[in-house]
Amino acid sequence: MKIHKLQILSFCVVLTLFFSCQGTSDKRIIKLGHGLGITHPVHEAMLFLAEKVAEKSGGKMVVKIYPNQQLGSERELVELLQIGSLGMTKVSSAALEGFAPTMQVFGMPYLFRDDAHQLAVLEGEIGKKLLLDPQKFLLRGLCYYDSGKRSFYTKTKPVETPADLAGLKIRVMESNTASNMVKALGGSPTPVSYGELYTALQQGIVDGAENNAPSLYTSKHYEVCKYYSIDEHTALPDVMIVSTKVWESLNEQEQQWLQDAADESAIYEYKIWAEATEHALSEMQKAGVIISYPDKEPFRQAVESMYSDLKVQQPEIYKIVEQIRAVK
């Protein structure tokens, strides 16, 4: 993003909503912006977080939520956190890798053995350390939200093998790891903003995308893409982050309120995520979406070169991969 664009966006946000951690009285107000719709389960978890903050603080601390990219795209929101003009946002760990390089480890395909392994990593020392790594970039992770597993959805044919991706333009997030994965599988990675993706699919700018079931359903992308191939290539957690400038402006009690509320909202989010996934798959099938479960082994083999490249090119990230694989 050009710096003048960021300055203009930041100035508008500050004029409209004032500073992230200010209030009109003695209330502490923190703005939380994100790009998801209000029917998305992660938005529901953020509402839960806000309720818990108000409850724990006795109304002395308020989290105001602005969904649907009201305050900017995912990348713009993270940049606003860095300069302190926004308090909090939810960001995919894939998008966060552009700001905190160690986060790219989560984008490595087929990294986790199963759900239990992923949860053990996120709740253990590795996960806790990775949450705090972005502090040097003025961002602090509070908790992880379940974001399911990402799979391909396409307009004209299902993706049953990596060969089916040949010649297809697949939307990816602004993530080098995601782009490299699609390339390794034979597709053509095409970065598109999530808010612009529905139109991009309609107009043929991209032939498909990859995401979890609740996001495919709540975004209504299934109205355009009638094939959902559940290969579950990545299990990227979402990360709730707070601006370090805002975090450091809070006293110890306020920090504890916010951290405890985030932790409780993560437990709640895992529960409603599972329910949302089941509901999304059922409703999309009713709408005519063809859901398939291709053999994952050819996909795993196709992306194995990414680990070989990582070991040579980024040994510090590969070391984290080894640590994750060693978790029982």
Side-chain angles (χ1 to χ4, degrees):
M1 174 186 287
K2 301 294 185 183
I3 187 65
H4 69 271
K5 183 180 178 184
L6 175 57
Q7 289 172 333
I8 292 170
L9 177 59
S10 171
F11 182 66
C12 292
V13 170
V14 173
L15 280 182
T16 304
L17 300 171
F18 201 46
F19 188 69
S20 300
C21 236
Q22 296 292 322
T24 55
S25 60
D26 57 350
K27 283 186 178 180
R28 179 74 78 167
I29 298 176
I30 301 178
K31 300 195 308 289
L32 192 170
H34 68 88
L36 300 172
I38 59 173
T39 60
H40 198 285
V42 172
H43 175 72
E44 292 183 41
M46 287 185 264
L47 291 176
F48 185 90
L49 183 153
E51 290 172 5
K52 288 298 177 182
V53 165
E55 177 186 303
K56 292 175 185 299
S57 68
K60 295 177 182 178
M61 193 170 177
V62 177
V63 174
K64 290 189 175 180
I65 302 174
Y66 300 87
N68 286 314
Q69 298 194 52
Q70 289 180 40
L71 305 184
S73 67
E74 190 169 56
R75 183 176 185 83
E76 289 167 341
L77 292 174
V78 175
E79 289 172 337
L80 287 173
L81 257 67
Q82 290 181 305
I83 61 175
S85 291
L86 182 64
M88 300 167 64
T89 190
K90 185 287 301 178
V91 64
S92 168
S93 52
L96 194 55
E97 74 179 56
F99 300 88
T102 54
M103 280 287 172
Q104 71 180 278
V105 71
F106 290 129
M108 294 299 291
Y110 302 106
L111 175 66
F112 301 110
R113 294 188 298 273
D114 50 34
D115 291 345
H117 180 218
Q118 182 184 16
L119 193 60
V121 170
L122 296 184
E123 293 186 344
E125 291 305 312
I126 297 172
K128 292 174 182 176
K129 181 180 183 302
L130 289 171
L131 277 179
L132 298 181
D133 274 0
Q135 285 187 123
K136 61 179 72 77
F137 305 98
L138 307 179
L139 307 165
R140 179 188 177 92
L142 292 173
C143 68
Y144 297 103
Y145 283 159
D146 190 7
S147 190
K149 297 178 178 62
R150 300 177 76 91
S151 297
F152 292 106
Y153 54 91
T154 45
K155 293 172 63 177
T156 59
K157 63 179 181 179
V159 177
E160 297 298 326
T161 69
D164 292 325
L165 287 165
L168 296 186
K169 299 186 294 295
I170 301 297
R171 179 266 177 178
V172 294
M173 296 175 283
E174 290 189 39
S175 158
N176 287 334
T177 309
S179 292
N180 291 339
M181 180 199 67
V182 171
K183 286 178 184 176
L185 291 171
S188 177
T190 308
V192 175
S193 165
Y194 189 68
E196 299 171 354
L197 181 52
Y198 189 101
T199 302
L201 289 164
Q202 279 185 316
Q203 297 179 350
I205 296 172
V206 291
D207 304 303
E210 44 90 47
N211 215 324
N212 53 66
S215 294
L216 173 55
Y217 178 63
T218 59
S219 65
K220 298 187 183 299
H221 295 168
Y222 70 91
E223 294 176 348
V224 185
C225 295
K226 292 299 183 181
Y227 297 96
Y228 190 36
S229 306
I230 302 182
D231 67 301
E232 298 183 325
H233 45 260
T234 49
L236 289 156
D238 279 343
V239 187
M240 177 57 67
I241 57 175
V242 60
S243 164
T244 56
K245 293 187 177 182
V246 171
W247 177 260
E248 290 165 6
S249 76
L250 304 177
N251 62 41
E252 188 174 339
Q253 178 64 79
E254 290 168 333
Q255 289 178 349
Q256 195 64 53
W257 287 334
L258 186 57
Q259 184 63 65
D260 288 348
D263 291 340
E264 290 178 30
S265 74
I267 295 171
Y268 175 71
E269 192 272 345
Y270 268 73
K271 175 180 179 294
I272 62 174
W273 183 268
E275 296 169 353
T277 298
E278 185 177 342
H279 176 73
L281 291 173
S282 174
E283 292 300 307
M284 288 190 294
Q285 280 185 309
K286 292 176 185 177
V289 175
I290 298 172
I291 298 174
S292 60
Y293 296 83
D295 180 5
K296 296 178 185 178
E297 192 55 36
F299 292 88
R300 284 196 184 95
Q301 292 177 6
V303 298
E304 191 56 38
S305 61
M306 291 180 64
Y307 286 94
S308 302
D309 292 342
L310 189 70
K311 186 175 183 179
V312 174
Q313 297 169 8
Q314 294 180 282
E316 69 286 357
I317 304 297
Y318 188 77
K319 184 178 179 180
I320 302 174
V321 168
E322 291 183 309
Q323 292 170 347
I324 288 173
R325 287 175 167 174
V327 172
K328 302 300 183 183

